[in-house]
Amino acid sequence: GRWAQSRDYRLPDGSTVVVRSDVSELVERDRSLRESQANLANAQRIAKLGSWELDLTDLADIGRNALRWSDETFRIFGYEPNEIDVSNETFFGAVHPDDRDGVRQAVRRAIETGVTYSIEHRVIRPNGREIIVHERSDVISGPGGRPVKMVGTVQDITDQKRAETALQGYQARLELALQTAKAA
């Protein structure tokens, strides 16, 4: 099967001309793109890894720039996809108050230097639950080296951090037991 698109055009004399185009290649590209997007969304969901983009049209006031989140980023922050309007205010409102300055500094430094940032910070979800995320971002520059966009990822690492804390506790108890055994 091939896909065709037909268009009817009415001419001034009242007759109709039908133009048909083979759009099979476009339909296949569209199908492949949708499949790729679905695979990416599934991978992000499984890894608890969201993505985001921040336009940098206004470097003087970063908060005025458009911010976009992937569906998984919404979920990480405790929302259903597109449940809320995304903005820098929304993002920083979710960042734990004690971590906001550090995140703002990392963003500003990345924009000023063009250097990737990689930070961990806490997020408070709308239900009050605190999680820990790891964020990583690159700055994309345009002509003349002017920053035009930041693209980044955010990953919920709460379970990993809990496991690390538990492991440290086990190691400390094991070390204490070994020291006690040597002293006996």
Side-chain angles (χ1 to χ4, degrees), residues 109-162:
R109 191 170 36 255
I111 292 170
E112 290 172 355
T113 65
V115 175
T116 296
Y117 78 76
S118 178
I119 58 172
E120 292 179 6
H121 63 86
R122 294 166 292 172
V123 166
I124 300 174
R125 289 182 169 168
N127 65 5
R129 181 172 174 244
E130 184 178 299
I131 63 168
I132 302 170
V133 299
H134 177 258
E135 279 198 70
R136 188 173 171 85
S137 175
D138 285 336
V139 175
I140 297 173
S141 297
R146 184 194 179 284
V148 294
K149 183 184 289 192
M150 289 184 83
V151 293
T153 59
V154 57
Q155 185 169 30
D156 181 350
I157 59 169
T158 307
D159 293 341
Q160 176 185 336
K161 287 297 186 180
R162 284 184 186 141

Side-chain angles (χ1 to χ4, degrees), residues 47-72:
K48 296 183 182 178
L49 176 71
S51 59
W52 55 268
E53 290 183 11
L54 174 65
D55 293 335
L56 296 175
T57 53
D58 186 345
L59 293 175
D61 184 358
I62 301 303
R64 294 182 53 146
N65 294 294
L67 176 64
R68 290 171 296 286
W69 285 355
S70 70
D71 288 353
E72 188 58 24

Side-chain angles (χ1 to χ4, degrees), residues 92-107:
F92 282 106
V95 174
H96 190 285
D98 294 343
D99 297 345
R100 283 184 193 142
D101 285 341
V103 175
R104 285 184 201 280
Q105 289 173 13
V107 170

